[in-house]
Amino acid sequence: QVQLVERGGGLVQPGGSLRLSCAATGSIFSINVMAWYRQAPGKQREWVATIERAGSTNVADSVKGRFTISRDNAENTVYLQMNSLKAEDTAVYYCNMRSSVSDYWGQGTQVTVSS
């Protein structure tokens, strides 16, 4: 059974940084796309960033220039480096991994940006 295990959330002051990681455990075959989403209280889940297997990336305009997504294909792990964090970045962050036949989600990790 495949599980996505997220780490790295927490409380940080505005302007600070956090690095999230998400590792897939279990038998997972040929992940094509890895992505991060987030959901703030009272809002719908929104897309944050995507990275393709070959390394091409795309990030939402709201985090462009502040967040960086990267991946380790050998370890089936995706990272989200978050810099210059703002209060509006407060949310539960979810990782997502997709192959040609499957779609997996992590359990979510809370990121709170507050002074």
Side-chain angles (χ1 to χ4, degrees):
Q1 181 158 350
V2 175
Q3 285 189 318
L4 303 187
V5 179
E6 298 167 357
R7 292 189 172 89
L11 173 64
V12 63
Q13 292 186 342
S17 297
L18 281 175
R19 188 188 193 214
L20 306 183
S21 67
C22 173
T25 62
S27 178
I28 191 164
F29 176 73
S30 189
I31 301 170
N32 297 320
V33 177
M34 296 183 176
W36 289 95
Y37 291 75
R38 68 185 182 185
Q39 187 167 17
K43 295 187 177 181
Q44 290 188 333
R45 188 174 298 189
E46 66 173 358
W47 167 74
V48 176
T50 298
I51 184 166
E52 304 286 338
R53 185 170 185 82
S56 60
T57 63
N58 200 8
V59 296
D61 288 342
S62 59
V63 304
K64 194 165 292 184
R66 301 187 297 121
F67 289 13
T68 303
I69 187 170
S70 60
R71 65 188 281 171
D72 182 334
N73 290 330
E75 298 293 330
N76 285 331
T77 300
V78 61
Y79 304 94
L80 186 68
Q81 178 66 44
M82 305 184 293
N83 298 329
S84 302
L85 282 160
K86 306 175 182 179
E88 51 263 43
D89 295 319
T90 295
V92 177
Y93 284 72
Y94 298 90
C95 68
N96 171 250
M97 296 188 184
R98 302 193 287 274
S99 68
S100 59
V101 295
S102 299
D103 189 359
Y104 303 100
W105 289 89
Q107 80 285 357
T109 186
Q110 176 70 46
V111 171
T112 302
V113 185
S114 174
S115 56

